Amino acid sequence: MLRIAIQTKGRLNEDSVGLLKDSGISFREDKRKFLLKSADFPIEALYLRDDDIPEAVSDGTADIGIVGYNEVCERDKDVDILMRLSFGKCRLSLAIPDSETCASLQYFNGKKIATSYPVILGKFLKENNIKAEIRTIAGSVEIAPAAGLSDVIFDIVSSGATLVSNGLKEVVKVLESEAVLICRKDISEKKRKLIDELRFRFESVIQARGAKYLLMNLPQQSVDEAVKILPALRSPTILPLAATGWCSMHSVVRESELWDKIGQLKQIGAEGIVVMDVEKIVL
Ligand code: PRT
Ligand code: ZN
């Protein structure tokens, strides 16, 4: 039986549970329990605060865990990072008051920097030979300059709205982060097999996210050009239509490219374009 540590509540909880569910693994909802078995797979979920997940995995309390890469770096525990999970994307950045200008990293010499990530910040300052004072605070780091606790901050940024509403601006991006699957060292062969199966399922779900299935009618003479527009996984499927000179083409595209591709396909005569969601992609 594998044990996976996931965040009890917070930004990563829903996506972690969602990824497992889309991979065919669900847990009975029971808010009073912190350890729940799945009926679908030999796995149990251990619900923890995100701060505690790297340690729980490194000391073997859990075999694997889903946590932000930022927490893995900050806790500095000996775990393997198995895969990136494409959610919880954010960055750890240095931000300064709007009124200030920062021409180079030297700006931070002698500054007081408030953060909840002293380890990552300390390493960054050391690597860049900057001597600054780190003020570790647990939360609401963005209010520290206005409250007189620090000159500048080092914090998580996602949309940037929190910085803007606190009169701050992002000047140096130090670490890109997203949720990752971590694993403890020295895992048994039996558990390794289960983890491989889980990774395979996660990859199929992640591949399918943001992918769209596209089908359309196309004049036969446009097929070569359409194949260039839609390279697909291997190559697009082309089926004949009852009407001569026409075919039906099927392919998978990234959602981010969808409208651009549709525009190009219309230009070469594509008609009746249908777009559908993709549930899983097994490569
Ligand atoms: O209770 P527990 O300890 O488990 O949770 P937590 O409160 O420590 O963490 P939580 O749930 O807030 O975040 C969990 C993880 O989500 C983080 O470790 C990151 O890996 C990831 N993540 C992604 C974020 C954000 N985006 C994010 N925007 N974590 C925090 N924020 C906060 C940030 O601290 C800042 O206050 O959102 C604000 C900035 O957001 P924008 O959009 O205004 O820039
Ligand atoms: Zn936390």
Side-chain angles (χ1 to χ4, degrees):
M1 166 86 60
L2 264 187
R3 186 180 286 177
I4 184 167
I6 56 178
Q7 196 188 20
T8 314
K9 58 182 167 59
R11 286 167 200 268
L12 301 183
N13 168 272
E14 207 176 296
D15 284 328
S16 305
V17 172
L19 177 61
L20 284 157
K21 194 163 176 231
D22 291 347
S23 303
I25 301 166
S26 49
F27 298 93
R28 229 177 344 96
E29 280 277 314
D30 188 343
K31 295 276 181 236
R32 293 160 306 163
K33 298 238 169 96
F34 63 91
L35 192 61
L36 288 175
K37 280 194 179 61
S38 168
D40 319 306
F41 195 81
I43 195 166
E44 57 188 359
L46 173 66
Y47 294 89
L48 294 176
R49 287 197 59 187
D50 68 344
D51 317 49
D52 298 330
I53 292 177
E55 182 163 7
V57 171
S58 78
D59 73 11
T61 307
D63 302 303
I64 50 177
I66 295 179
V67 67
Y69 179 63
N70 52 310
E71 283 301 328
V72 180
C73 296
E74 182 62 25
R75 305 293 149 190
D76 208 11
K77 299 289 175 197
D78 198 15
V79 294
D80 288 331
I81 295 176
L82 298 184
M83 64 187 290
R84 301 192 301 174
L85 300 174
S86 293
F87 62 84
K89 289 191 178 173
C90 58
R91 51 204 186 266
L92 270 169
S93 296
L94 282 159
I96 67 172
D98 270 336
S99 52
E100 301 265 316
T101 35
C102 156
S104 77
L105 279 181
Q106 295 312 316
Y107 167 89
F108 294 96
N109 260 318
K111 292 276 193 287
K112 254 187 229 161
I113 312 177
T115 189
S116 308
Y117 293 90
V119 173
I120 298 171
L121 177 61
K123 277 190 192 156
F124 176 77
L125 294 175
K126 198 167 169 210
E127 275 163 22
N128 289 282
N129 219 1
I130 307 287
K131 302 234 171 322
E133 185 187 330
I134 299 177
R135 283 223 146 171
T136 306
I137 51 180
S140 303
V141 171
E142 65 280 358
I143 62 163
L149 288 169
S150 71
D151 303 307
V152 299
I153 67 165
F154 176 65
D155 199 13
I156 294 182
V157 183
S158 171
S159 66
T162 305
L163 293 183
V164 171
S165 62
N166 285 280
L168 299 167
K169 61 184 176 193
E170 183 179 15
V171 286
V172 183
K173 290 176 191 155
V174 172
L175 184 87
E176 295 280 347
S177 180
E178 68 186 277
V180 289
L181 179 68
I182 57 172
C183 180
R184 72 183 169 93
K185 304 268 176 186
D186 302 326
I187 203 96
S188 71
E189 198 46 40
K190 210 168 156 196
K191 285 187 176 176
R192 171 73 59 199
K193 286 210 172 98
L194 290 173
I195 294 169
D196 286 347
E197 169 66 22
L198 200 64
R199 282 171 71 176
F200 168 73
R201 294 191 190 187
F202 282 0
E203 261 151 28
S204 307
V205 172
I206 293 167
Q207 281 288 341
R209 287 187 178 159
K212 295 286 172 188
Y213 192 81
L214 206 62
L215 54 147
M216 74 211 75
N217 294 331
L218 196 68
Q220 195 67 46
Q221 78 260 19
S222 299
V223 167
D224 289 347
E225 266 187 274
V227 173
K228 282 188 211 137
I229 298 168
L230 295 175
L233 296 174
R234 188 179 294 276
S235 87
T237 306
I238 300 188
L239 301 167
L241 284 193
T244 44
W246 285 83
C247 62
S248 165
M249 181 159 154
H250 300 212
S251 190
V252 174
V253 294
R254 296 270 117 219
E255 190 171 15
S256 54
E257 301 175 336
L258 182 69
W259 291 105
D260 179 44
K261 299 280 185 195
I262 286 179
Q264 293 181 48
L265 291 163
K266 281 178 64 154
Q267 290 211 330
I268 59 164
E271 287 180 359
I273 302 173
V274 176
V275 181
M276 294 188 290
D277 287 338
V278 177
E279 199 176 305
K280 311 270 187 302
I281 295 181
V282 177
L283 290 174

